[in-house]
Amino acid sequence: MLVRTLAPVLIRGTRTVVLTMGNQAVSKGDEKIYKERPPPKVTFTEEDLRARLSEEEYRITQERGTERAWTGENLTIKDDGVFNCTVCGTQLFKSDEKFESGTGWPSFTDMAKKGSVMFIEDESHGMVRTEAACGQCGAHLGHVFEDGPQETTGLRYCINSACLKFDPKKKTGAVTSSADAGGRDGSGDPEEGK
C-alpha cells in the first residue's frame, strides 16, 4: 500500500512542474518529474566511485540511502559559497538559498541553476515522494517537499549532507570555472576544463 506524504509536488515560478496521480509526469515549464531514473549525462565506474567516495557517500549517492538527521557536516554552514555534487562536482545549490528547516538535513529553496537537479518520482518505503538527484551524474541527493518558505519558492530541497561538497571560495552567483579537487570545473562535464 502506498501512502502519499504530501499532495503532488508543484514546482512554482519559471520551473513549474505538476506530478500527476496517473502514469505520466506532466511538465509545465522546463523541468519535469521522471517516472523512472533517466540515464546520467556523466558516468563513472563503480571502481572509481568506491575509490573516491567514503562508504557513507557511496551508500547515499549510489544506493539512494539517507544519513541520520543532525549528523551532516554541511547542516550548520552559513558561509557564502556554493554546494557541489560530491560525485561529479556539479554546482547544485547556492548558500543564499539555504535555510534552517528544523529537519536535521541541509535545506534549500531552489537549485543553483536550471537543470542542476532533476526530479524523479520515488515510491520507496511505502510513500510517494519526489526524489532530488544530480542533473549530471544522477547521484541521489534527497527529496523535495512543498513545505519550504512561502515567500520564496515554497519548496524545501531536503538534501543529505554527504552528497554535497561546500566551496567557500566561490561567491554566490559566481560562474563556476575553476577546477575542483577532482579535476572537474563544477559544470558536471568531466571533459570540460581539461
Side-chain angles (χ1 to χ4, degrees):
M1 178 171 126
L2 292 175
V3 177
R4 291 210 177 261
T5 56
L6 294 173
V9 172
L10 171 65
I11 299 179
R12 297 179 180 91
T14 60
R15 300 180 178 122
T16 306
V17 178
V18 179
L19 175 63
T20 68
M21 299 295 216
N23 292 330
Q24 298 294 319
V26 177
S27 175
K28 292 184 178 180
D30 296 331
E31 304 294 335
K32 80 181 264 187
I33 299 174
Y34 294 95
K35 293 290 284 177
E36 295 180 15
R37 185 175 294 278
K41 297 173 185 171
V42 177
T43 60
F44 301 94
T45 66
E46 181 178 349
E47 180 180 52
D48 175 52
L49 291 174
R50 288 198 182 273
R52 290 190 298 114
L53 303 176
S54 71
E55 286 182 30
E56 179 82 339
E57 290 168 342
Y58 186 89
R59 182 183 68 79
I60 293 169
T61 63
Q62 303 306 301
E63 298 173 350
R64 297 173 56 194
T66 301
E67 66 195 3
R68 288 182 323 154
W70 308 106
T71 62
E73 66 182 47
N74 291 309
L75 180 62
T76 58
I77 291 177
K78 297 182 191 304
D79 298 332
D80 193 25
V82 295
F83 294 86
N84 299 319
C85 177
T86 295
V87 175
C88 70
T90 295
Q91 187 180 105
L92 299 171
F93 302 100
K94 297 176 183 177
S95 59
D96 61 354
E97 299 289 346
K98 190 171 186 275
F99 70 100
E100 176 53 55
S101 66
T103 62
W105 289 278
S107 297
F108 302 87
T109 57
D110 206 355
M111 64 183 102
K113 57 187 172 186
K114 180 181 145 189
S116 61
V117 176
M118 68 175 158
F119 309 100
I120 306 158
E121 185 174 338
D122 177 5
E123 296 181 353
S124 64
H125 308 293
M127 301 176 272
V128 176
R129 300 174 290 172
T130 302
E131 177 187 357
C134 176
Q136 293 298 308
C137 70
H140 172 73
L141 303 173
H143 291 86
V144 62
F145 301 97
E146 285 189 299
D147 58 2
Q150 294 304 305
E151 63 275 7
T152 60
T153 63
L155 298 175
R156 174 174 54 94
Y157 289 76
C158 185
I159 307 299
N160 290 287
S161 189
C163 302
L164 303 172
K165 292 290 184 199
F166 180 68
D167 188 345
K169 298 175 200 148
K170 297 175 187 150
K171 297 298 180 190
T172 299
V175 175
T176 310
S177 60
S178 62
D180 68 4
R184 289 170 294 278
D185 71 351
S187 70
D189 183 352
E191 297 301 314
E192 191 173 283
K194 284 189 176 178

